Structures are given as structure tokens and as C-alpha cells.
Amino acid sequence: MDTASFSGFLRTLFIIILSYYAIRFLLRLLAPVLIQQVVKKAGENLYEQQQRQQEYYNNQANHQQADTTSERPKEKKKVGEYIDFEEID
């Protein structure tokens, strides 16, 4: 069985600290690129969703317009004039 030495502990600690700073440095370099890609993808998704909604509303409007032109309600006969009565004390 190997025994732990102080120099081995320092070497391991140095590697951990060096790795931490290397990862931190790389993330600072790559973070703007990654965020830009995420924002670009989200913008594309929103644009596509807006296009689908616009097509849906246009189809609904065309469908309703076709229904209303074929079914016109008949005019009601005017029976009389509306009179508003007031209560007298």
C-alpha cells in the first residue's frame, strides 16, 4: 500500500487549481459565442411561430368570410318605435 506524501498532495492540489482556472478561462472565451447561438436560435423559433400563427389567423379569417357571405341573415320587420317610459310620482 502506498502512503500519501506531502509533495503528492501539493501536486494534486496544483492540478485541481490549474484545471479550475483553465476551465474558467475557456468559458470566458466561449460564453459569448454560446449565448449568441442560443439567442439566434430563440429568435428563429419565435419568427417561425409568428409565421404559423399568421397563417392560422389568415385561414380562419378566409373561412369565416366564406361562411358569412353564403349565410346572410334575413332582415327583421320593424314593428314599431321604441318608447322609453318614465315613472311619475
Side-chain angles (χ1 to χ4, degrees):
M1 188 187 287
D2 291 329
T3 58
S5 65
F6 185 69
S7 62
F9 172 74
L10 288 179
R11 183 173 170 232
T12 304
L13 188 63
F14 177 72
I15 291 172
I16 291 172
I17 291 172
L18 185 65
S19 299
Y20 170 75
Y21 281 109
I23 290 171
R24 189 172 164 193
F25 177 73
L26 289 175
L27 284 177
R28 283 189 180 208
L29 290 177
L30 296 177
V33 175
L34 294 174
I35 291 173
Q36 187 178 25
Q37 291 294 330
V38 168
V39 169
K40 183 179 176 183
K41 185 69 174 176
E44 289 173 359
N45 288 340
L46 286 173
Y47 180 75
E48 290 173 6
Q49 184 179 12
Q50 183 182 12
Q51 292 298 321
R52 285 192 302 257
Q53 283 181 347
Q54 189 69 28
E55 290 173 8
Y56 175 76
Y57 288 133
N58 286 341
N59 289 340
Q60 288 292 339
N62 290 340
H63 184 67
Q64 286 178 355
Q65 198 174 42
D67 288 346
T68 56
T69 56
S70 62
E71 299 176 11
R72 293 199 176 230
K74 296 180 181 178
E75 286 188 34
K76 296 181 181 179
K77 291 184 180 180
K78 287 189 174 181
V79 177
E81 186 177 322
Y82 176 76
I83 300 173
D84 187 20
F85 293 98
E86 293 183 15
E87 200 171 305
I88 301 175
D89 288 327

